Amino acid sequence: MSNPELPPPANTGGDMPLVAHLTELRSRLLRIVCIWLVIFAGLFYFANDIYSFVSEPLRALMPAGTSMIATDVASPFLTPFKLTLISALFLAMPFVLHQIWSFIAPGLYKHEKRLAVPLLASSIVLFYSGMAFAYYVVFPLVFGFFTSTAPEGVAVMTDINSYLDFVLTLFMAFGLSFEIPVATVLLVLVGIVDVQSLTKARPYVVVGCFAIGMVLTPPDVISQTLLAVPMWLLYEVGIVFSRFVRARPRNDQPDEQDTPAA
């Protein structure tokens, strides 16, 4: 018969208390911020060069005798500063995703952890590929269209801050849209959808891709199509790779050979 005065046995299971989870999350967020600031400090000296590189697609297509302008007093400093800060975050993205992965990895099944590393690497490569596609393919076509359609007597002289907001929107739109294969595989992995449902939803996805293209891109058919078509093709790629994924059981209980990490 147990003694009622004795304290209850300590929890020796693998579950972490909520406070421990929050403490670990805070620690990883602090690491992300520190790495972000370190990269920013290294890039700040080259802030103007970074802006010149990003604005080259537009400046190369501007009519002779025109240039970009700064309409606000602080724009010549604040605009390259903002771009450098965001560029540092983009460069820190592999570390950011690694910290996210390290935080959620203990709760994954063994077969999920084997898939997580390829998915993590693929998400980084696809995000950067989307940004490169926007810079080298979309920007020349879009800016060539805009500069060639200016009315007679109108000089194309874009504000540097307005240009930065414009290109950052396109960078994020294409970077995130290129993550569709990873998102598709993850949805199948956790059992939210299956491959058959994804295949049946193809007509709706095509319409949705063009609707998203109209929302996220400028009001021209070139950029809308250049975003919608890759999104649809990447969705098809996600379906192909999802066929090799084993979904998590519906009851979220591991079997004997596939237990989650402690």
Side-chain angles (χ1 to χ4, degrees):
M1 184 174 181
S2 60
N3 189 347
E5 296 181 356
L6 292 178
N11 182 13
T12 59
D15 294 337
M16 293 177 59
L18 177 60
V19 175
H21 280 295
L22 295 177
T23 302
E24 183 184 1
L25 178 61
R26 182 187 63 179
S27 175
R28 297 195 179 278
L29 290 176
L30 288 175
R31 294 177 191 174
I32 291 173
V33 173
C34 289
I35 292 296
W36 183 13
L37 294 179
V38 167
I39 297 176
F40 170 74
L43 294 178
F44 181 72
Y45 179 79
F46 308 97
N48 290 335
D49 296 328
I50 295 173
Y51 190 88
S52 297
F53 174 77
V54 172
S55 62
E56 177 61 25
L58 175 61
R59 292 187 294 109
L61 297 170
M62 294 181 70
T66 61
S67 63
M68 302 184 70
I69 60 174
T71 56
D72 293 332
V73 175
S75 290
F77 170 77
L78 291 180
T79 301
F81 179 90
K82 181 170 68 173
L83 175 60
T84 306
L85 191 65
I86 297 174
S87 299
L89 179 60
F90 285 161
L91 291 178
M93 196 59 64
F95 181 80
V96 173
L97 294 176
H98 178 266
Q99 291 299 310
I100 296 175
W101 150 249
S102 300
F103 181 73
I104 66 175
L108 298 179
Y109 290 86
K110 290 182 179 179
H111 76 278
E112 292 173 344
K113 295 181 71 173
R114 287 194 296 267
L115 286 173
V117 174
L119 288 175
L120 180 64
S122 300
S123 63
I124 296 173
V125 172
L126 288 171
F127 185 80
Y128 289 149
S129 299
M131 295 180 62
F133 180 80
Y135 182 84
Y136 290 105
V137 177
V138 178
F139 287 179
L141 295 175
V142 172
F143 297 146
F145 172 77
F146 287 158
T147 56
S148 64
T149 56
E152 184 69 25
V154 175
V156 181
M157 303 178 69
T158 305
D159 177 65
I160 58 174
N161 190 55
S162 299
Y163 174 82
L164 179 60
D165 294 339
F166 179 85
V167 298
L168 288 180
T169 300
L170 289 183
F171 275 142
M172 290 301 299
F174 281 88
L176 294 177
S177 66
F178 272 56
E179 299 288 342
I180 289 178
V182 176
T184 304
V185 172
L186 288 176
L187 289 175
V188 175
L189 180 64
V190 299
I192 296 178
V193 296
D194 52 26
V195 177
Q196 291 75 18
S197 300
L198 294 173
T199 304
K200 293 179 180 178
R202 182 181 287 114
Y204 306 100
V205 171
V206 174
V207 175
C209 289
F210 280 91
I212 294 174
M214 288 188 292
V215 173
L216 298 181
T217 59
D220 66 284
V221 68
I222 297 176
S223 57
Q224 293 171 5
T225 304
L226 288 176
L227 178 61
V229 173
M231 288 177 64
W232 169 54
L233 294 178
L234 291 168
Y235 178 78
E236 298 294 337
V237 172
I239 292 178
V240 172
F241 282 99
S242 298
R243 300 182 186 278
F244 304 98
V245 174
R246 179 161 62 96
R248 174 184 285 224
R250 287 290 182 178
N251 58 5
D252 203 26
Q253 295 294 329
D255 52 38
E256 296 181 356
Q257 287 80 24
D258 193 13
T259 57

